[in-house]
Amino acid sequence: MLELDLSRRQLQSLIHVSNVLNSSLNYDETLELIMRETISVIEAADSGILFLYDQKKNVLEAKYTLGVNADIFSNVRILPGESMTGQAFNARRPLMFNRKAILHYIEHTTTEQTLDLMQRKQPSYPYSALCTPILLNGNCIGVITIDSFDENQCFTTADIRLLEAISHQAASIIEKTRLYREQQSSIHLLENMNSLIIQQNNLLKRSIDIHQSLSHLVLNGKSIEEILAYIYQLFGNPLVLADNTGVILSKSHLEILPQAYLDALEKQIKLKMLDLPKYQTIMELEYQDQPLSMLVLPLGAKPNFLGYLILLQVKHLTEVDFTALEHASSVLSMELIKSQTIFESENSIREKMLAELFAGNFNHQLIKRMAHSIDLDPRRQFQIVTIHMDKLLQKSFKDDFSAFMTRREIIQLANHIFLRNGNPLGLVAAKNDQIIILLSYSEQSTTEFINHYSRQNSQQLLEQLQSRYQDSCHLFVGIGLPFHGLHQLKKSSEQSIKCIEFIRTFRGKSGCISFTELGSTRLLLKHSIPDLIEFAKEVLGPLLAYEDSGKRVFLPSFLEYLRQNHSAKKTAECLHVHINTLNYRIRRVEEILELSLEDHSSLLDVYTALRIYELLEEHF
């Protein structure tokens, strides 16, 4: 009767276990339920471990432990046939072990490290153990091992039958949850792939939209500034377009940055431009001890390298963003080349027109086409301003594009300064190392207005160019006289060239002068420097010989006296000397040169010699 009651109770337990195990499809939760329910229905069981077989590694791994220290068994790997669990795996049937057998297996199949850990964290060993294989379709997929730590309770045959029945249930449940997990994993993978495809499609659509928008801007003739503004809308980063020498050609939304940052940016660009690679790169800009990142994209390629597109304050950019920026760089490169071609073509037309005008060919078709823009009415007044760029500037160019950008920059600056108000009219053209400015004034414009306007604006242009190029070149600006009618245009040009020749010969550094300012000094240009020095020494020789070159006081005093129109009082004030001292010096000059300031006929040579001395003082 007891056996019958026991069998009925175990059957009820098995049904309960089956219901519990089938309540979940979660793989890890199912393994936990198997062990918890097993321990709960087998009265003698105090702890247990669920091992599953890894076919690839050929080992049994502890997947869930209950009632034992997880640290001990979490990394335990048991080979088939090893220890009690491995024996049951090979036997494909339940095996029960007493304390003696347990101690034997622990001592002979456990590593020293695991044995030491067991002794510190689990000093007592079970009195009996029951290992039952988990069989699925004749194959062993794992082992359930349970232990009893009570010497008065041992596992019975009924326990073996119950655990064997539970292991059969566990086999099908484990397989079902494993398949479900794989199915869910596949679904999750497909969902991720679908999400990735959608994301890639969106990125591809964005890339296509950007390419189409950039192409649309180009086809509609939009400017470089408008293209940069569009790129800013895409990424929200301030932009800089620089040529290959570090000169900023264009920029977009830099006003959102502090001026100090912009100053540091331009300086850093110029300093690092020579070292920048000809491929896409990230560089750091130091600003107030904080590094600010810049994405630098090259424009063009060797041998026609054009410059860089620079994105400021770069944070996170996607692959599509980089592709879009590369396309934008290509578009900007083509725009720069196009603008170069247009500029050179227009400049060639202007240059040919000036050549025709200087040749006196006023009926040429080219002149007639251009007449409306600069008003070639013969009653108007015309003037030529010439800017000469020293060869040193040309040596600083790395290629034709740099020379082109410099010429264009100077022409744009000259247009802005001279022709901004529409009065006077005119045109600006480049020819070799020169920039030629043709100004056309109304008939009513006074000579005083023309001289003031051309001189003031030429000086402004020179100062801005010197600020831009600093020591990289010498610039000479010559201003011809204004003339009525086109037939005198060539003469104004020749006068401007003489002004440049004067600056280069007698000053040797950047400068600006008008033909009016030259006065009689222009006559000196007809003679060589040695001839002029020889003449000055003939006239001033006795005075130069009298004074040591490092301690001259008579000659400077005499020069200032003549500048002040023979006024002793003004001269003494300018030289900060007593008037008696000055009078003594003037008398000594007269004695040394054997001349009288009252004799005007002898002063012409002295004035000319002194002018030569002023201009060529370093040669004396």
Side-chain angles (χ1 to χ4, degrees), residues 501-502 505-507 520-541 544 605-617 619-620:
E501 184 182 348
F502 175 84
T505 302
F506 294 106
R507 295 182 181 174
S520 62
T521 308
R522 62 178 177 265
L523 299 175
L524 301 178
L525 293 171
K526 296 182 178 181
H527 302 277
S528 67
I529 296 295
D531 288 345
L532 293 174
I533 294 173
E534 183 180 355
F535 172 77
K537 286 183 177 180
E538 287 176 6
V539 177
L540 302 176
L544 293 170
D605 287 349
V606 175
Y607 274 117
T608 304
L610 286 172
R611 183 63 175 145
I612 294 171
Y613 173 81
E614 281 187 297
L615 295 171
L616 301 172
E617 185 176 355
H619 294 280
F620 292 88

Side-chain angles (χ1 to χ4, degrees), residues 439-483:
L439 299 173
S440 170
Y441 300 92
S442 66
E443 187 180 3
Q444 293 76 27
S445 297
T446 65
T447 303
E448 181 183 3
F449 165 77
I450 293 175
N451 289 338
H452 175 75
Y453 183 87
S454 59
R455 185 65 174 84
Q456 182 185 47
N457 287 291
S458 294
Q459 186 62 38
Q460 181 184 350
L461 176 62
L462 176 64
E463 290 173 357
Q464 292 197 28
L465 291 177
Q466 285 178 318
S467 174
R468 158 65 182 87
Y469 295 109
Q470 296 179 355
D471 298 329
S472 64
C473 69
H474 294 300
L475 294 162
F476 311 102
V477 183
I479 307 167
L481 293 175
F483 293 97

Side-chain angles (χ1 to χ4, degrees), residues 563-577:
R563 289 195 195 102
Q564 297 299 333
N565 199 23
H566 298 204
S567 172
K569 181 180 179 182
K570 291 181 179 178
T571 305
E573 290 174 354
C574 289
L575 296 176
H576 304 289
V577 297

Side-chain angles (χ1 to χ4, degrees), residues 399-439:
D399 49 45
D400 292 339
F401 182 74
S402 295
F404 151 72
M405 292 306 301
T406 302
R407 287 197 304 272
R408 188 173 77 168
E409 182 180 20
I410 295 176
I411 287 178
Q412 289 175 341
L413 186 58
N415 270 305
H416 173 72
I417 291 176
F418 281 94
L419 308 175
R420 60 184 180 276
N421 298 321
N423 182 30
L425 300 172
L427 62 83
V428 183
K431 182 180 181 181
N432 300 326
D433 296 343
Q434 294 180 343
I435 305 294
I436 302 169
I437 305 171
L438 166 60
L439 299 173

Side-chain angles (χ1 to χ4, degrees), residues 2 14 50 104 109 158 168 181 243 267 271 303 508 513 595 610:
L2 181 61
L14 186 61
L50 174 60
H104 172 78
T109 64
H168 287 311
R181 184 176 66 172
D243 71 8
K267 182 178 179 182
L271 286 175
I513 197 169
L595 62 85
L610 286 172

